[in-house]
Amino acid sequence: MTDLTLSPWPSVGLDVDALRSSGWRPYPFNEFVIKIHSRCNLACDYCYMYEMVDQSWRDQPMVMTEEIFADTCRGIADHVSRFEIPAVSLVFHGGEPLLAGHSRFEFFARHAREQLGSRAEVRLGVQTNGVLIDEEFLRICDQWDVVVGVSIDGGRDAHDRHRKSRRGDGSYDDVARGLTQLREHRNNKLFGGLLCTIDIANDPIHTYEELLAFGPPGVDFLLPHSNWQSPPPGKIEDQAAAPYAEWLIPIFDHWYGAPELDTQIRLFDDIIRVLLGGQGRGISVGLAPIRVAIIETDGTLEQVDSLKSTYSGATRIVTIADMGMGDRLNHALWDPGIVARQIGSAALSDTCMSCSLRDICGGGDYVHRYRAGTGFRNPSVYCSDLAALIRHIKVRLEDDLDKVTTK
C-alpha cells in the first residue's frame, strides 16, 4: 500500500485540475517498458527491483502470459491511434527478460510487430544481463528486428563486485560470452549498446576501455539509484562533494578528445545537445517531458520502475477497476506522478529554479530528487556532480566553438 505521507509532492501538492483548466495537456506515451519476466538469474547488490525498499515483485506472476501481452498490445494500439503517435518503442524488460524462454519471447516480438506495425513505426528492444544470450535468441531478434542492450559494469573485477549469480560467484564470463555472440552476429544492427552502473571504486578510464573492447555502438553510464534518504557511496559523509563528476570527467575528456568517435555516450551526448539548444534523449538531464509507461507481468500499469528505489508504492498509478489497457493509458496521463515529469521547470525546487544551470541540468533524474517529507521537489542528490560535469563540458565546448569562429 502506498504511504502518501512519504511523498507529499506530487501525490499531494500538484494541482492537476488547475493545469487542465489552464489548457495544459499531457504528452501521450511513446515508450512502453514491458516486464515480460519478474524474476532474475543474477543477484546484483544495487538492484532497485530486488534489493531496495519496494518488494512488490514478490506479488507479481513470474512471467507475462500471452493473453496479457496481447491485451497490452491492443491497449497500446488504441493509445497510438487516439493520439496519432507516429512511432513507439517497446522494450522487453524484467527481472531478466530472456528467462521468458525462446518460444514466448518470439511470440512477444512477433505479436508486437503484427499488432502495432500498421499503426506506427515500431522499435523493439530488450535490456538483458546477457547471461542467456544464445544463437536462438539472436535468431529471434534478427527475424523480428529486436535491438539488444546489455548491462555490464566494466572488466571482470569491476563487474563481478556487484553483479553476481544466485550462487554468489561472478557473472562476467557468462555476460562476456553472450556479448561476444551478439557482437559477432551477422546482423550488427542488433547490438544496441551497453549499460554500465557507475562504481567510483573502479578506475574510470580502465572501465571505459574494458567496455570499448566489446565494440558497443553506445554506452550509457548510469548513476546509482540513490536519493536524499539513501545517499550514494562517496556522498554519505559529504553530500557537497562531486565524486561522480570526478569519475566521469576523465572519461569525457578521453572520449571528446579522441581523433575518431569510439562510441556514443548518451549522458555526454545529451549534455552537449542541451547546451547547444536541443533536447536530451534520456532522463538524466534537461527538461524534456518523460513519456514512458511500465507494464508489469500481471498487466498492471505503473510509472518508471526506478522509482522503486525511493519508497514502497512509488510507481503506483491509480486507475479505475475494469478499465481496458487503452483507457488505463489515457487515464494515466493525468496521474500526478506522470504529469510531474512532463511540466518541465514547474516541477523543480526553488533551489533548482534559481540555478544558472536549471535548463541544462533540469534537476537531474527525477528519481534522485526524493526526500521523505518533501517528495520529489528537491535538487538531485547528485546536484554537485551534475553541476561540475556540465560546467566542465560547457567550457570544453565553448573553447572549441571559439576556435572555429576565430579561424
Side-chain angles (χ1 to χ4, degrees):
M1 181 176 178
T2 303
D3 184 355
L4 295 182
T5 63
L6 292 173
S7 180
W9 196 93
S11 299
V12 177
L14 176 58
D15 194 337
V16 174
D17 288 337
L19 281 169
R20 191 193 297 261
S21 297
S22 74
W24 182 86
R25 293 293 180 268
Y27 293 85
F29 298 115
N30 62 6
E31 182 175 344
F32 302 88
V33 177
I34 316 294
K35 300 284 188 169
I36 61 174
H37 204 286
S38 66
R39 305 299 191 266
C40 193
N41 50 351
L42 296 186
C44 307
D45 58 20
Y46 55 61
C47 181
Y48 61 79
M49 284 287 293
Y50 306 108
E51 303 299 329
M52 295 190 182
V53 291
D54 190 314
Q55 292 290 298
S56 57
W57 63 272
R58 298 178 184 275
D59 300 322
Q60 286 292 330
M62 187 173 294
V63 63
M64 180 176 279
T65 66
E66 294 181 357
E67 292 76 16
I68 288 176
F69 186 81
D71 181 64
T72 296
C73 286
R74 284 192 294 270
I76 293 172
D78 176 79
H79 192 73
V80 165
S81 297
R82 183 173 302 197
F83 292 99
E84 299 181 341
I85 304 168
V88 292
S89 297
L90 270 68
V91 180
F92 301 126
H93 209 277
E96 169 47 46
L98 299 191
L99 284 171
H102 299 113
S103 176
R104 189 162 296 189
F105 184 79
E106 182 158 27
F107 170 84
F108 294 151
R110 174 178 56 78
H111 193 78
R113 288 253 171 248
E114 291 174 350
Q115 295 302 307
L116 298 172
S118 63
R119 311 280 186 119
E121 177 188 348
V122 178
R123 295 185 285 265
L124 298 182
V126 59
Q127 185 64 39
T128 173
N129 60 36
V131 170
L132 297 177
I133 291 175
D134 62 16
E135 288 304 319
E136 178 62 7
F137 275 122
L138 293 177
R139 180 200 65 77
I140 295 166
C141 291
D142 186 19
Q143 181 172 353
W144 299 106
D145 194 15
V146 182
V147 175
V148 183
V150 178
S151 300
I152 184 171
D153 288 349
R156 179 177 286 100
D157 290 343
H159 179 90
D160 285 348
R161 183 180 302 121
H162 301 289
R163 301 185 64 81
K164 299 181 184 298
S165 74
R166 292 286 170 190
R167 299 184 303 274
D169 50 351
S171 63
Y172 178 84
D173 288 339
D174 290 333
V175 177
R177 187 180 307 112
L179 263 173
T180 299
Q181 290 185 72
L182 173 60
R183 182 186 180 189
E184 293 178 352
H185 192 272
R186 60 184 177 79
N187 183 355
N188 58 16
K189 292 182 179 179
L190 294 183
F191 191 3
L194 301 177
L195 176 64
C196 172
T197 298
I198 297 168
D199 182 346
I200 55 175
N202 298 326
D203 179 83
I205 298 300
H206 182 67
T207 299
Y208 179 52
E209 289 175 340
E210 290 281 1
L211 297 175
L212 283 183
F214 290 104
V219 174
D220 200 0
F221 286 109
L222 183 70
L223 292 166
H225 284 313
S226 300
N227 53 68
W228 293 103
Q229 297 306 118
S230 302
K235 295 178 74 72
I236 295 172
E237 299 298 328
D238 182 6
Q239 293 180 345
Y244 291 86
E246 293 169 5
W247 195 90
L248 284 163
I249 284 171
I251 297 178
F252 173 80
D253 287 340
H254 185 87
W255 171 81
Y256 188 73
E260 295 183 1
L261 184 68
D262 292 321
T263 187
Q264 301 288 334
I265 299 181
R266 183 162 67 171
L267 177 59
F268 301 156
D269 286 339
D270 280 354
I271 292 173
I272 291 172
R273 187 175 287 108
V274 178
L275 282 168
L276 294 176
Q279 284 192 337
R281 298 168 300 165
I283 62 176
S284 298
V285 295
L287 293 170
I290 304 302
R291 303 172 60 182
V292 182
I294 311 295
I295 295 92
E296 290 284 357
T297 53
D298 65 353
T300 302
L301 178 63
E302 293 194 342
Q303 297 180 55
V304 174
D305 55 348
S306 53
L307 285 165
K308 294 179 186 291
S309 64
T310 59
Y311 66 92
S312 184
T315 60
R316 183 169 177 255
I317 292 175
V318 177
T319 55
I320 299 170
D322 300 324
M323 270 188 173
M325 177 59 76
D327 288 334
R328 279 187 282 154
L329 287 167
N330 302 333
H331 181 81
L333 292 174
W334 291 99
D335 184 273
I338 299 296
V339 172
R341 305 189 73 171
Q342 294 199 0
I343 56 176
S345 61
L348 299 182
S349 67
D350 291 343
T351 300
C352 292
M353 289 297 289
S354 63
C355 178
S356 62
L357 299 177
R358 180 194 68 186
D359 295 343
I360 310 302
C361 170
D365 190 328
Y366 181 85
V367 172
H368 301 156
R369 306 175 201 174
Y370 176 71
R371 188 194 295 269
T374 55
F376 295 91
R377 208 162 196 177
N378 301 289
S380 169
V381 73
Y382 293 104
C383 176
S384 54
D385 299 279
L386 291 168
L389 177 63
I390 290 169
R391 289 190 174 109
H392 179 85
I393 293 175
K394 185 172 184 287
V395 168
R396 290 292 308 267
L397 197 61
E398 288 175 345
D399 285 348
D400 280 354
L401 290 172
D402 285 343
K403 292 173 185 175
V404 171
T405 56
T406 56
K407 282 185 178 179

